[in-house]
Amino acid sequence: MNLKLVSALVAFGLVSAAPAMAVTLDFEGIPTSSDVNQFYNGGQDIGTPTVTGPNYGISFGPLAIVGTNEDPSAPLFNPDDARLGSGILAPAGAGATMNSTIGFSALSFLYSALSEGSVTVWSGLDGTGDALYTFNLLANAASDGVSALTHWDQLAAVFGTVGHSVTFGDVAGTAGFDNIAVSQVPLPAAAWLLMSGLGGLGGFARRRRRAA
């Protein structure tokens, strides 16, 4: 394709990177004690009953359990915080990794931890590739005599590259998470379609000139 044409398209904003899409995982609508599983990937959680969630291209590994802050019979997952709804993420195993097939450039979340630990962002799926960023969690949980997780803090970071997974399972059994917000970085699909179409027209024009 003619480079002058590409430059003109860029100048007029017709070819540009798609804006990042911010999505928040609040774990509402998932039955308590269910695995999040494919709920945020347009699929279902693992629980009784199973429910289908929105398609954000995000899935969770095994034992990414949903706890509740409204059930007095489960005091570990009974935080008293106005920012929280009825559901929180309570990793119960090392495999409780969040995977994003789209990828993300920023991450924030609320957390409450019984002991110090860390959560790491990785360039590849399932905690593989390069470690892009590590969130260090303080032992910030405070008990009110009923609940073990009554104090929550927020952490946030922007990365210099694209992450595809977060190993929440590194603090399995000792921390809860909520309002996990990711700034996703989708491929500029519209721009690629436009470029491909113009490229096809350019090839057609060249064939016509050769035929002439």
Side-chain angles (χ1 to χ4, degrees):
M1 184 167 39
N2 192 307
L3 292 178
K4 291 183 179 179
L5 177 58
V6 174
S7 299
L9 291 171
V10 171
F12 283 99
L14 295 178
V15 176
S16 62
M21 299 187 301
V23 299
T24 299
L25 315 183
D26 58 11
F27 306 101
E28 303 301 305
I30 306 174
T32 304
S33 301
S34 298
D35 276 34
V36 181
N37 195 38
Q38 300 294 322
F39 182 81
Y40 289 112
N41 198 26
Q44 295 183 326
D45 65 290
I46 299 177
T48 304
T50 55
V51 290
T52 301
N55 190 357
Y56 296 150
I58 294 174
S59 61
F60 283 81
L63 296 179
I65 305 296
V66 174
T68 178
N69 71 333
E70 294 182 345
D71 182 1
S73 67
L76 178 61
F77 310 127
N78 184 29
D80 180 16
D81 194 310
R83 295 171 293 180
L84 309 174
S86 61
I88 65 172
L89 173 66
T97 297
M98 185 187 85
N99 287 309
S100 170
T101 55
I102 297 173
F104 52 93
S105 60
L107 175 74
S108 70
F109 55 80
L110 294 173
Y111 83 95
S112 185
L114 298 170
S115 58
E116 293 184 357
S118 63
V119 167
T120 302
V121 178
W122 299 85
S123 62
L125 297 172
D126 296 313
T128 63
D130 297 325
L132 304 181
Y133 192 88
T134 296
F135 293 92
N136 293 313
L137 310 185
L138 299 176
N140 64 342
S143 175
D144 61 1
V146 176
S147 170
L149 303 180
T150 60
H151 178 85
W152 291 70
D153 291 315
Q154 184 173 37
L155 295 178
V158 177
F159 322 118
T161 185
V162 177
H164 285 92
S165 63
V166 185
T167 47
F168 288 106
D170 291 345
V171 288
T174 65
F177 301 90
D178 204 359
N179 295 349
I180 299 174
V182 294
S183 182
Q184 294 181 306
V185 188
L187 289 173
W192 279 116
L193 286 173
L194 178 61
M195 296 282 280
S196 299
L198 291 172
L201 289 174
F204 177 72
R206 287 192 295 273
R207 287 195 295 274
R208 290 199 61 182
R209 285 198 298 271
R210 284 197 296 268

